Amino acid sequence: MASSAPCLLPLYTYEPLDTPNTIRLINLLPSNASDIDQTLRCSFSVVSLAHSPEFVALSYTWGENAFTATLECGESVLHITKNLHSALLQFRLSDRPLAIWADAVCINQADNAEKSLQIPLMADIYGQATEVLIWLGESTEGTKDVMLYLKRIGQKFLDRGGEILEPRDERSPENDALWKDMIDDPNLEKTDLIWTRPWFSRVWIIQELALASRAMVHCGDVSMDWEVLFASCKALGRAATDGGLFWDNASNRPRSLKATTTLNVWKLNDMRKSLNKQKSISDEEVLECLNSSRSFQCRDSVDRIFGLSSIFNRGKDVPFRIDYGKSEAEVFKEFARWALRNGDIVDILSFAGIANHSLIANSLGLPSWVPDWRLQYRSPMDSLGGFSAGHKLSSMVEVNVTSDELLVKGMVVDRIIAVVLESDSWVKPGQDPRSSFLRPAHLPEWYIQVELVINKVMETKWGSDEEYTGGGKLWDGLARTLIIDRNDPLFDYHRDRPSAAYPDDPVTPPHGYFPAFRAHMLNSLAPPEPESPASQPPPTIMPYESLEYHTRVASITSDRRFFITSLGYIGLGPKGLTLNDVVCVPAGASVPYILRPLNPNFKLYWQGVERAREAYIQLPKGEKMLPYILRKEEETYALVGECYTHGFMTGEVWDARGFFFEDLKILTTLSEELPLETRLKEDIWAMNYLVDADSMKELVNDLTNATPALKKNKMAMTVFDYLEQSRAKLIQICHEIWRGDPIGRASASSTPPSLSSESPSSESSISNWVSTNFKKEVCFAELGMVAQQGIQRLFVDDNTGIKQN
């Protein structure tokens, strides 16, 4: 039972820390046999880190923001959280005081000035501590057994030595026995009791673990070294990816190997390995740390920066300054300026852009080039990375400290003329976008739209030997683009086949499965038999070889838009890109970016741009001189986001002819609303070159002839029949835009709302307005709705042939 006596004591008053590099330490007094009420008592001492004091540091989470427990400090008291109280009780010694550092108590949390000075010292605090005590919390039902299980398994793998591989890759009697011991233990399926503890998801603990010389993990009264815990985590992960251990023969059911909950554990260990012994951190590691930390949480969004500042500032001549008196927007802007001025970190732009800003409900009004670090981690495909589009030169960036402008030097490559919306736009209401791979629901409909647009814009079709603008073949370029040309296999199906049967079979790269993926997409469009609505065609089972390719496409395109430029380059860009946006490659950047010219009359360099002057920039290692132009009329842009542009990802732009180096002034986000015409074109599957009836009919015939599952189907409805039926939907879309509502929220069959006085007053006038402004473009753009409504209407079993108007 807790004592009520401490509540009668006055609150502790902090003395200021006036000397640099000094910290407070808690001298936690030993337990007393009479302390049946679990009273904690301490004194404080002020020490200089320059004198290498001996102490331990606590890594924990505050828990609920309720200070219901107490810590007695002489004749006064501090209110602390329940989790801190339980940690101090656990670590209190019985025979002598314990010198321990804990942020909530050793830093005056009510003094923002002190916090701003103490937090930069955390690298030294956790680095100099003789031991970092990681407190996962008190023991609950089952956690003690799981901790003992993880400790036993982890220690066995460490004692064995060597890399921990999947069980099938390290077969031997000894290893088989080790894996069997791990798999057969009932605690195997209870490890989430540990991995889901809040400590593994907090931003602050990243630097606390990464910088610790020795870290011990405690849950209740069971403890183990961090390396032991991670060894068990790694073994569990290897077991989860080994298909041979998935099924439990004894219970005749699949095992629950929840490897996904250990993602942050892997991230923490990776950062600890790369940062622990370093005295400085590279610009690439700053970005990697920022990216990895987005799956961690914190109460105040500024702590996404401040909580990692001890890592960012290592070895920096100009450290980033912490100031808790500034707003979120001010902190994010200052950090972006610091990163761009004091390091070659132009890739920070990959986390910025109006596309990313639009994903957050409450706008901070940030410039388009400043990342909003409130943006949560969504998937490993959130950002591209791993390329070298602009690496031939170092970044050339000028940051205006008195305004929200950013000047980047680079090349504007081309203008976007065709766009297909992100694949998740094809998801029907109530449908899970991550539906079964055996019969994918929306991805085939999205893919068919991509192919239709390519057919029209490129004036080609599948199977042709079309050359690609950026080199190679067009269809090979598409195969690579849809998976952003990544070649790190998610899994290797060849290992599941008898090696003797395929001794010389080379491993096919991921993009090599595009033909099988395409065939599966088309086969998946086969409709149910018309005479029996309840009957469904048998599932078209995807070959295992193309499953990896499909997985990548589904993840990568879910929130990225396919585009084509005027020169014929293809790519995937952010959700917010639209027609007339431009692709650029900044010097020093890993990837290209999408910019939106703020001048509606913007011209590319070959369209008669007036130049104030010309110069040249020398490429490194005695390579060619690159033309550098200064436009007579300065252009400004908003940053939309990063993109994949096939043919420009590994520095090809520097060797291409006809491109000019120029200044790219990036300003704030777009404040004015886009004109109605632009919004209409953008929102209805926008593209300049749109599919027409002949293109659709030709594709249908091609699919019918080429795909066995569709051979019996004939086109029973012309494209224009379909468009006539969906005219009401087109009118409804116009109404939705005029009302300012998102497209597609209302049912196509519902009565259109009354129009305002500023818009056409009748359906006929709407149709006339559409015809006048967009001619057949909008009508055929509406054919994009074929993804949800049209394909199955076009494929029916009709023995009489094509139905005429």
Side-chain angles (χ1 to χ4, degrees), residues 483-504:
I483 57 170
I484 57 176
D485 205 16
R486 294 213 169 162
N487 59 5
D488 47 330
L490 299 177
F491 42 79
D492 182 4
Y493 79 96
H494 287 262
R495 294 191 307 179
D496 293 331
R497 304 186 303 174
S499 58
Y502 303 90
D504 301 317

Side-chain angles (χ1 to χ4, degrees), residues 659-674:
F659 295 132
F660 291 83
F661 210 64
E662 56 181 299
D663 292 343
L664 310 173
K665 182 178 282 189
I666 304 174
L667 303 179
T668 188
T669 187
L670 295 174
S671 57
E672 67 277 4
E673 191 173 346
L674 293 173

Side-chain angles (χ1 to χ4, degrees), residues 206 271 275 285-293 308 311-312:
I206 295 174
M271 287 186 277
L275 302 173
E285 287 169 330
V286 169
L287 285 180
E288 181 59 35
C289 186
L290 279 167
N291 190 28
S292 295
S293 69
L308 300 171
I311 294 175
F312 299 156

Side-chain angles (χ1 to χ4, degrees), residues 149-303:
Y149 164 72
L150 295 174
K151 183 176 182 178
R152 176 171 58 82
I153 293 300
Q155 193 61 57
K156 282 187 175 183
F157 276 101
L158 285 182
D159 292 342
R160 185 199 68 173
E163 180 62 32
I164 302 175
L165 305 175
E166 291 183 8
R168 57 183 160 186
D169 291 330
E170 49 178 34
R171 300 299 301 272
S172 72
E174 295 79 9
N175 286 332
D176 289 350
L178 178 56
W179 286 106
K180 187 176 187 305
D181 180 31
M182 186 185 85
I183 292 296
D184 289 346
D185 194 303
N187 288 295
L188 171 73
E189 300 187 24
K190 302 176 184 177
T191 56
D192 269 5
L193 292 173
I194 301 302
W195 309 132
T196 56
R197 287 282 173 133
W199 184 88
F200 292 103
S201 63
R202 306 305 296 174
V203 165
W204 284 99
I205 61 94
I206 295 174
Q207 63 180 4
E208 295 167 3
L209 174 65
L211 305 176
S213 57
R214 184 179 184 225
M216 290 292 293
V217 184
H218 300 256
C219 182
D221 58 0
V222 181
S223 64
M224 72 188 86
D225 193 280
W226 169 263
E227 278 65 33
V228 174
L229 180 70
F230 181 70
S232 66
C233 170
K234 192 171 186 177
L236 290 168
R238 298 301 190 216
T241 56
D242 188 316
L245 300 180
F246 174 73
W247 193 261
D248 185 352
N249 292 321
S251 59
N252 198 31
R253 65 174 180 83
R255 290 186 172 94
S256 179
L257 301 173
K258 301 176 182 178
T260 55
T261 56
T262 65
L263 174 63
N264 280 2
V265 186
W266 287 79
K267 286 184 176 182
L268 286 168
N269 197 72
D270 287 344
M271 287 186 277
R272 175 170 168 77
K273 284 172 60 178
S274 63
L275 302 173
N276 187 255
K277 301 300 181 181
Q278 294 182 199
K279 294 183 179 180
S280 62
I281 180 173
S282 68
D283 297 330
E284 292 78 12
E285 287 169 330
V286 169
L287 285 180
E288 181 59 35
C289 186
L290 279 167
N291 190 28
S292 295
S293 69
R294 290 192 303 121
S295 59
F296 293 75
Q297 308 300 318
C298 56
R299 280 201 180 94
D300 300 322
S301 59
V302 294
D303 286 338

Side-chain angles (χ1 to χ4, degrees), residues 29-253:
L29 300 180
S31 59
N32 190 314
S34 64
D35 285 342
I36 57 173
D37 57 0
Q38 297 185 321
T39 301
L40 288 171
R41 298 180 178 86
C42 77
S43 63
F44 281 111
S45 59
V46 176
V47 299
S48 172
L49 289 171
H51 298 154
S52 301
E54 288 194 10
F55 64 97
V56 296
L58 181 63
S59 178
Y60 71 111
T61 61
W62 284 25
E64 295 181 4
N65 199 24
F67 299 85
T68 57
T70 57
L71 173 64
E72 289 187 25
C73 310
E75 299 302 319
S76 57
V77 68
L78 275 168
H79 293 288
I80 61 177
T81 64
K82 181 181 177 182
N83 196 42
L84 176 56
H85 186 272
S86 65
L88 295 177
L89 276 178
Q90 177 64 37
F91 299 129
R92 180 175 59 175
L93 302 176
S94 61
D95 56 346
R96 64 186 185 280
L98 174 68
I100 185 170
W101 190 90
D103 61 350
V105 175
C106 294
I107 299 176
N108 183 358
Q109 299 295 325
D111 186 344
N112 281 341
E114 180 173 304
K115 286 167 65 178
S116 299
L117 293 173
Q118 285 286 292
I119 288 174
L121 299 178
M122 289 179 70
D124 294 327
I125 292 171
Y126 282 91
Q128 289 188 29
T130 54
E131 189 174 289
V132 172
L133 306 175
I134 296 172
W135 178 244
L136 301 184
E138 293 182 287
S139 180
T140 57
E141 184 178 357
T143 57
K144 182 170 185 176
D145 289 340
V146 173
M147 281 289 286
L148 291 171
Y149 164 72
L150 295 174
K151 183 176 182 178
R152 176 171 58 82
I153 293 300
Q155 193 61 57
K156 282 187 175 183
F157 276 101
L158 285 182
D159 292 342
R160 185 199 68 173
E163 180 62 32
I164 302 175
L165 305 175
E166 291 183 8
R168 57 183 160 186
D169 291 330
E170 49 178 34
R171 300 299 301 272
S172 72
E174 295 79 9
N175 286 332
D176 289 350
L178 178 56
W179 286 106
K180 187 176 187 305
D181 180 31
M182 186 185 85
I183 292 296
D184 289 346
D185 194 303
N187 288 295
L188 171 73
E189 300 187 24
K190 302 176 184 177
T191 56
D192 269 5
L193 292 173
I194 301 302
W195 309 132
T196 56
R197 287 282 173 133
W199 184 88
F200 292 103
S201 63
R202 306 305 296 174
V203 165
W204 284 99
I205 61 94
I206 295 174
Q207 63 180 4
E208 295 167 3
L209 174 65
L211 305 176
S213 57
R214 184 179 184 225
M216 290 292 293
V217 184
H218 300 256
C219 182
D221 58 0
V222 181
S223 64
M224 72 188 86
D225 193 280
W226 169 263
E227 278 65 33
V228 174
L229 180 70
F230 181 70
S232 66
C233 170
K234 192 171 186 177
L236 290 168
R238 298 301 190 216
T241 56
D242 188 316
L245 300 180
F246 174 73
W247 193 261
D248 185 352
N249 292 321
S251 59
N252 198 31
R253 65 174 180 83

